[in-house]
Amino acid sequence: MEFGARWSKLLVGVSLVATVLLGGASYFLLTQSRPASLWGSVAQAGLLAILLGSALFTVRGYRLDGPELFVRRLLWETRLDLAGLRSAEADPDLVRGSLRVFGNGGLYSFSGLFWNRTLGRYRAWVTHHDDIVVLRFDDRVWVVSPAAPLRFAAAAEQTR
């Protein structure tokens, strides 16, 4: 069962501003009139790596296939085993007040490790904070944002 991933206005804005800034800085370093220094070349490569790396990990959607969840990326899918799923709950309030521990905070997705008082530590693959579905296991919590969160949560519950 396929589910799209809507982009929030926040994600669009952050991605647009970051792309312009990182791309512009990289272009500036490339077009300097004097020969590029080693540090300038390293900086330009780093800026482009951040842009391209983040773009590759864009969340394009989700697919439930039996006991597995696939997070659709730009060029591949990340396979997640739903064995041991205790619950699937559609509730955007559950991620409010979260802190990013490690990951991407808005350049084409909100993904990585996060923490808040309600969920504790969790892994996220999110594009829109109004579409949150929390997948709880005995030993971990995952957060996704399919375009139809109630339908996704019901379908995920059927995998238990």
Side-chain angles (χ1 to χ4, degrees):
M1 185 175 267
E2 296 277 338
F3 296 88
R6 298 185 310 146
W7 278 34
S8 66
K9 289 180 183 176
L10 175 62
L11 182 60
V12 170
V14 169
S15 297
L16 181 63
V17 168
T19 299
V20 168
L21 290 175
L22 292 171
S26 179
Y27 180 77
F28 172 76
L29 290 171
L30 178 68
T31 59
Q32 290 186 82
S33 58
R34 59 189 166 102
S37 68
L38 174 63
W39 290 114
S41 297
V42 168
Q44 180 188 17
L47 295 171
L48 290 175
I50 290 168
L51 269 177
L52 293 175
S54 296
L56 288 174
F57 284 90
T58 296
V59 174
R60 294 179 35 235
Y62 310 91
R63 182 168 55 92
L64 285 170
D65 188 4
E68 297 178 323
L69 167 62
F70 294 87
V71 179
R72 292 181 26 233
R73 305 298 192 140
L74 191 61
L75 301 176
W76 72 89
E77 293 181 328
T78 300
R79 186 184 69 77
L80 304 169
D81 187 0
L82 293 175
L85 178 67
R86 281 192 346 219
S87 68
E89 182 179 4
D91 185 352
D93 291 333
L94 291 173
V95 297
R96 302 228 191 275
S98 292
L99 301 173
R100 182 172 19 130
V101 175
F102 179 80
N104 184 345
L107 186 53
Y108 311 123
S109 71
F110 300 96
S111 54
L113 293 176
F114 294 81
W115 178 91
N116 74 14
R117 290 179 192 225
T118 306
L119 299 175
R121 192 182 76 172
Y122 64 90
R123 181 107 190 255
W125 298 270
V126 171
T127 59
H128 201 301
H129 286 91
D130 289 343
D131 296 339
I132 294 298
V133 175
V134 176
L135 303 168
R136 295 179 196 257
F137 299 82
D138 287 334
D139 59 346
R140 65 195 179 280
V141 176
W142 294 338
V143 175
V144 294
S145 62
L150 293 173
R151 194 167 56 92
F152 180 92
E157 284 280 340
Q158 296 299 315
T159 67
R160 298 187 321 142

